[in-house]
Every structure is written in structure tokens, then in C-alpha cells.
Amino acid sequence: MIVAPSLLAADFANLADSVAIINDSQASWVHCDVMDGVFVPNISFGFPVIEAVSRITDKPLDVHLMITDPGRYVERVRDCGASIMNVHFEACTHLHRTIQQIHRAGMKAAVTLNPATPVMALTEIIQDLDMVLLMSVNPGFGGQSFIDHTVDKIRCLRQMIDERGCSALIEVDGGINAETGRRCADAGADVLVAGSYVFKAADPRAEIACLANL
Ligand code: DX5
Ligand code: ZN
């Protein structure tokens, strides 16, 4: 599995230590959660922090934008070092245009679906995507419980991608641990995001390895 630890659960007073753990682990990417206090009822961190993280890691940055109208910031996200720009389906009025802008800026484009948004909403855009992120909690906070119905959505999306011969990866975010991660992997997920499970653990590297080897 591709593992993308989420910095949201890291100790922000010692962020470099958390990035060093990711650097020295089986994690493939660094997941950065940006919240604007409008699209979600919380505010996390923004561009200066992502830019600082990019200076101390060679792992690709997977930037998950929980903000309204993320298309306004495509170049800004690229310039702070992102490899993957993840925008919410529910936050984009002109999603196709935003995906084009992300690709033109030289990043991989991913679309995120909230728990209540059906996979079928992607039928007209799936062929243009590098990845789909299925939220397995309502976005805005770490440490929530995995929503079981996500497993059915993963299976449905896996079928859509395979039937249409698309190459989009399936990423899952929220409440991921060894048990829920196993269920996601079995259903066809490619990428697991994990915050609390990794950074609240005594040995974060071991938990990353556990997810990577599911
Ligand atoms: C939630 C964020 C997640 C969060 C996951 O809105 O998108 O990336 O960090 O945290 P855990 O793994 O603790 O559920
Ligand atoms: Zn996230």
C-alpha cells in the first residue's frame, strides 16, 4: 500500500521531528490537510507551513484542500512544493476546469468526495483524474471513527475505474488503522492516509510499516 501519514496529528511545536519520522519510514507521501474554517468547521495550517515542510522532505506532498473554491490557489499550491493537489468535489463549481489547471501547473490532480457524495458523481471526470480520495470521516478533524459504508464506496469506485480502464488511484482518509486499513485494501484501495494512528502511537514508524504491508 501507498501510505501518506497526515501531519494534522503531529506535534506542531516539533513538526520537523514528525517529518523526519516520515522521511525515515516506509511512507510514500506526506499528507497535508489545509482547512479554511468555511468549507469545514476548523482551521489547520496553510501555504507557509507546506512550503517549510517541502524543504525538509523529498517525499511527494499530497495536499488535501478542505477549502472553498480551491481553483483560486492552483499556482500557489504548486509553488509551495505540492506534487498532488486534492480538491473537494463539493467545493468546485467548475471541477473540469480546475483539474485542467492543476495538470497545466504540473501537478497530479485528485478529487475528494465527502462521505455523503456518491461515487457516481465522478462518471464524467474519472478519466481525467490521477486519484480519487474517499473521505471515510466527515472532513475537518482528526481522530474520528471510520464510517463503515466507505468500504462499499471503495468497491463501487474500483469497479468504475477497472471497467473504464482508467488509471486513477483510490485513496482513503479518516479513521484509518490496521483493521480499517485492511478492509480498505481488500476492497481495492491503493493509498491510505493516517493521522492519529501514526502520530499518537509509541512507534510511528512501526505503524506506517504495518499499513504499508497490508
Ligand atoms: C480530516 C483529514 C484527515 C485527518 C485524518 O479532515 O482530512 O487527513 O488527518 O486523521 P485520522 O487519521 O486521525 O482520522
Ligand atoms: Zn486529509
Side-chain angles (χ1 to χ4, degrees):
M1 297 299 288
I2 295 170
V3 181
S6 166
L7 291 177
L8 191 64
D11 175 1
F12 287 174
N14 295 290
L15 199 50
D17 292 350
S18 299
V19 176
I21 289 171
I22 295 174
N23 287 343
D24 181 35
S25 76
Q26 292 183 48
S28 299
W29 303 339
V30 182
H31 187 82
C32 301
D33 288 302
V34 178
M35 304 178 189
D36 67 355
V38 178
F39 180 70
V40 290
N42 199 6
I43 297 175
S44 55
F45 54 80
F47 303 129
V49 173
I50 297 171
E51 197 276 331
V53 169
S54 81
R55 280 189 271 118
I56 55 172
T57 187
D58 292 328
K59 306 227 179 196
L61 300 187
D62 171 29
V63 177
H64 177 195
L65 295 161
M66 287 162 273
I67 67 173
T68 54
D69 199 4
R72 292 173 293 166
Y73 298 110
V74 173
E75 281 75 26
R76 190 77 185 82
V77 170
R78 189 263 322 276
D79 290 346
C80 65
S83 297
I84 303 160
M85 179 163 167
N86 238 311
V87 298
H88 267 261
F89 175 85
E90 304 83 5
C92 297
T93 308
H94 300 288
L95 183 61
H96 186 270
R97 178 182 296 150
T98 302
I99 297 305
Q100 284 181 315
Q101 288 171 336
I102 294 170
H103 280 146
R104 251 186 253 123
M107 293 180 286
K108 303 268 190 207
V111 170
T112 308
L113 300 185
N114 278 338
T117 304
V119 163
M120 296 315 278
L122 297 175
T123 49
E124 310 308 326
I125 193 81
I126 189 72
Q127 66 281 352
D128 297 320
L129 302 181
D130 299 294
M131 186 162 72
V132 177
L133 169 52
L134 297 178
M135 287 308 301
S136 40
V137 297
N138 286 290
F141 303 92
Q144 303 180 80
S145 299
F146 183 85
I147 297 170
D148 287 328
H149 175 60
T150 311
V151 176
D152 298 329
K153 289 179 75 176
I154 297 169
R155 281 201 201 93
C156 178
L157 180 57
R158 180 83 271 154
Q159 192 178 353
M160 182 195 292
I161 289 170
D162 291 349
E163 277 176 6
R164 299 177 57 156
C166 301
S167 56
L169 297 173
I170 301 176
E171 180 176 43
V172 188
D173 183 4
I176 296 294
N177 55 37
E179 187 264 324
T180 56
R182 169 84 261 161
R183 287 161 60 205
C184 293
D186 288 347
D190 305 292
V191 187
L192 298 173
V193 176
S196 313
Y197 176 67
V198 168
F199 288 111
K200 307 296 183 207
D203 186 353
R205 282 183 199 81
E207 309 303 350
I208 291 170
C210 173
L211 295 178
N213 293 300
L214 284 177

